[in-house]
């Protein structure tokens, strides 16, 4: 549809619309009404916020994963003409509906099936849901090729690499460097982290994000998941992806070239920059984020990650090297352990222990379909839940 301004209006579906990434995505939509129109929005249980967003953005369809809250959604949308549904399949249906692009921003492997549904209809996918790629990287990439879909990274590190990665000159690329803020416990020993509280773990120094990814950042599992994500997105082996801790979160990641050049992308730590980049690609969209002022910042610092006190990063490397479906085990064990930590049933340091135990005790072969991934994910979840209860 052509608007007066001359730019083409695209439709977008936002999976995980009520979350941190979903809200930032809709902020960009609101700033560019001539470019974007909302087709569908989804959430898990936050019916009130979903209804509010659906009305504000005039969505055609909304879906709530958890049916327990459906009556609230129905009541709030009564008389608006907005179609609504509930249940896991209703969320996947949102991804199947015709839209130009789908923001995949559900937390965890719950985002896998809807993201695959969007890929299968050849949509442009803006991928924030790293857990989906961690669990099913090869299968997702194959489906993207077969269905002529487009997969664009939203994670700030992967967006940074994408922006400076010379895809046509791959032979000139030496390695990738992911930056990590180090989270709230940077510099702490395991002894110091023994008694950390949930509140401390949720107090990220640089980024405002959902609870699960904030805990992952505190344990450095987030960087581990991102390492696996980068390996799939950029087709790079584990030993050519480095991690460097950069507490200011200004340099979002780098590509090292064989001639000694290092290309980096810089920006304020505001997810609206990488989200807008993916939404507008290959064009750039205006956001309210100001360019970085290096003189005001004065200095940027970098240090080696501490894999001894933060073992999750090494566990993710181990899973990536092991191949098969070890990454499914890593991710499912981590999701269950983080959930238990968020519900104050285990200690912070137990998260890494449960993941390590799961990787040692479950040695799966390769999953050859998404159904096999989902079934392995379920098996690992049940096993880790049983260990936590014991
Ligand atoms: N936040 C960031 O800055 C950031 C940066 C890079 C990548 N990411 C990635 O983006 C994804 C979302 O992160 P976030 O920080 O936006 O998380 P969040 O604030 O917790 O939001 C998660 C969204 O997913 C929905 N959801 C949760 N569980 C679901 C389920 N089982 N089925 C269907 N929907 C479900 C939530 O609905 P309710 O509100 O109803 O619970 C919410 O809309 C994660 O994979 C994360 O790793 C986030």
């Amino acid at each position: 549809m052509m608007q007066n301004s001359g730019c083409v209006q695209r439709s977008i579906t936002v999976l995980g619309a009520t979350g941190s990434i979903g809200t930032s995505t809709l902020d960009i939509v609101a700033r560019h009404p001539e470019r974007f129109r909302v087709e569908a929005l989804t959430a898990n249980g936050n019916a009130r916020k979903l209804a509010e967003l659906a009305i504000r953005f005039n969505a055609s369809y909304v879906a709530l994963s958890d049916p327990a809250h459906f009556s609230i959604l129905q009541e709030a949308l009564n008389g608006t003409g907005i179609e609504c549904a509930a249940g896991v399949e209703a969320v996947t249906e949102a991804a199947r509906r015709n839209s130009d692009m789908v923001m995949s921003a559900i937390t965890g492997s719950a985002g896998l099936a809807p993201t695959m549904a969007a890929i299968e209809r050849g949509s442009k996918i803006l991928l924030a849901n790293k857990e989906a790629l961690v669990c099913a990287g090869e299968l997702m990439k194959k489906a993207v090729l077969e269905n002529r879909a487009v997969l664009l990274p939203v994670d700030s590190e992967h967006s940074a690499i994408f922006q400076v990665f010379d895809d046509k000159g791959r032979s000139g690329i030496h390695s990738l460097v992911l930056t990590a803020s180090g989270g709230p416990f940077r510099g702490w020993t395991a002894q110091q982290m023994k008694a950390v509280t949930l509140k401390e773990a949720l107090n990220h120094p640089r980024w405002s994000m959902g609870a699960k990814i904030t805990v992952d950042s505190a344990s450095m599992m987030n960087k581990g998941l991102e390492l696996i994500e980068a390996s799939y997105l950029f087709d790079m082996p584990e030993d050519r992806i480095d991690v460097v801790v950069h507490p200011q979160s200004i340099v979002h990641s780098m590509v090292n070239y064989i001639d000694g050049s290092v290309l980096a992308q810089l920006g304020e730590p505001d997810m609206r920059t990488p989200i807008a980049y993916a939404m507008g690609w290959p064009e750039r969209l205006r956001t309210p984020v100001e360019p970085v002022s290096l003189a005001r910042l004065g200095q940027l610092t970098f240090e080696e990650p501490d894999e001894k006190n933060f073992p999750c990063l090494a566990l993710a490397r181990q899973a990536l090297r092991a191949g098969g479906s070890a990454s499914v085990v890593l991710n499912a064990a981590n999701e269950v352990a983080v959930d238990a930590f968020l519900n104050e049933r285990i200690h912070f340091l137990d998260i890494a222990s449960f993941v390590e135990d799961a990787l040692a005790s479950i040695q799966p072969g390769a999953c050859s379909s998404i159904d096999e991934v989902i079934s392995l994910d379920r098996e690992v979840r049940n096993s880790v839940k049983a260990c936590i209860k014991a």
Side-chain angles (χ1 to χ4, degrees):
M1 177 177 160
M2 289 295 282
Q3 296 291 290
N4 289 341
S5 63
C7 64
V8 178
Q9 194 183 42
R10 310 264 183 221
S11 53
I12 182 166
T13 285
V14 185
L15 307 173
T18 49
S20 165
I21 292 288
T23 308
S24 294
T25 304
L26 291 171
D27 180 84
I28 300 294
V29 169
R31 288 169 194 278
H32 297 279
E34 74 293 355
R35 283 180 181 270
F36 301 105
R37 142 185 111 66
V38 171
E39 169 60 25
L41 300 174
T42 79
N44 188 27
N46 195 344
R48 279 183 222 290
K49 187 165 177 186
L50 184 62
E52 195 186 299
L53 293 170
I55 293 167
R56 180 169 167 219
F57 288 93
N58 195 21
S60 305
Y61 173 86
V62 292
L64 204 57
S65 184
D66 184 350
H69 307 270
F70 187 48
S71 58
I72 300 172
L73 184 67
Q74 274 180 310
E75 201 180 309
L77 294 180
N78 192 14
T80 61
I82 300 171
E83 201 184 327
C84 62
V88 173
E89 187 48 38
V91 169
T92 301
E93 183 51 35
R96 277 197 201 106
R97 286 176 74 105
N98 200 15
S99 68
D100 294 308
M101 62 188 85
V102 174
M103 168 56 78
S104 165
I106 290 175
T107 295
S109 61
L112 177 56
T115 304
M116 281 303 290
I119 292 174
E120 279 160 10
R121 65 170 180 81
S123 182
K124 172 169 149 181
I125 316 293
L126 322 177
L127 187 79
N129 175 215
K130 64 193 84 184
E131 296 92 340
L133 199 69
V134 165
C135 290
E138 288 303 339
L139 295 167
M140 271 174 77
K141 277 171 54 177
K142 188 165 167 267
V144 165
L145 280 178
E146 283 171 1
N147 295 286
R148 296 169 186 257
V150 175
L151 189 63
L152 297 169
V154 167
D155 236 327
S156 58
E157 295 77 1
H158 306 75
S159 174
I161 292 172
F162 181 57
Q163 291 181 52
V164 296
F165 191 93
D166 182 4
D167 201 35
K168 292 197 181 79
R170 287 190 66 98
S171 58
I173 291 174
H174 175 274
S175 54
L176 310 181
V177 184
L178 296 172
T179 52
S181 70
F185 307 132
R186 181 175 65 88
W188 291 34
T189 62
Q191 183 62 28
Q192 286 173 303
M193 282 186 276
K194 255 186 176 163
V196 299
T197 62
L198 177 57
K199 197 170 162 218
E200 286 173 313
L202 290 176
N203 186 23
H204 197 282
R206 298 296 288 166
W207 295 94
S208 164
M209 310 179 283
K212 193 259 177 185
I213 183 176
T214 305
V215 173
D216 283 346
S217 298
S219 71
M220 298 273 303
M221 180 58 92
N222 185 47
K223 214 46 55 183
L225 299 176
E226 287 178 7
L227 192 127
I228 300 172
E229 184 185 8
S231 171
Y232 285 124
L233 283 175
F234 302 106
D235 212 5
M236 278 281 155
E238 177 269 328
D239 60 358
R240 286 173 65 195
I241 311 173
D242 291 328
V243 172
V244 66
V245 173
H246 166 46
Q248 297 82 14
S249 300
I250 294 293
V251 177
H252 295 303
S253 280
M254 299 166 254
V255 176
N256 290 332
Y257 285 86
I258 53 174
D259 61 359
S261 296
V262 182
L263 299 193
Q265 183 260 358
L266 281 69
E268 290 291 341
D270 187 321
M271 284 307 292
R272 287 175 299 182
T273 299
I275 289 170
Y277 186 73
M279 286 171 72
W281 182 84
E283 282 178 62
R284 286 192 187 263
L285 304 179
R286 189 171 293 282
T287 78
V289 186
E290 292 291 325
V292 167
S293 164
L294 290 175
R296 182 180 53 78
L297 283 167
Q299 60 173 337
L300 299 177
T301 59
F302 301 89
E303 63 203 40
E304 290 293 336
D306 175 359
E307 291 196 14
K308 185 169 152 277
N309 287 301
F310 294 87
C312 286
L313 185 54
L315 290 171
R317 281 196 184 279
Q318 177 192 325
L320 182 55
R321 275 196 308 269
S325 300
S327 300
V328 181
V329 178
L330 173 99
N331 181 68
N334 182 61
E335 283 194 34
V336 172
V338 170
D339 186 63
F341 174 69
L342 287 171
N343 287 293
E344 304 191 82
R345 284 189 283 120
I346 62 170
H347 295 293
F348 180 69
L349 293 181
D350 295 337
I351 297 172
S353 306
F354 280 113
V355 174
E356 188 173 7
D357 290 351
L359 280 173
S361 59
I362 308 170
Q363 271 133 18
C367 290
S368 55
S369 69
I370 294 295
D371 285 347
E372 284 180 28
V373 171
I374 291 171
S375 145
L376 174 60
D377 174 86
R378 196 174 304 128
E379 181 193 326
V380 178
R381 281 168 189 274
N382 289 339
S383 154
V384 179
K385 277 181 195 162
C387 293
I388 288 174
K389 261 196 200 141

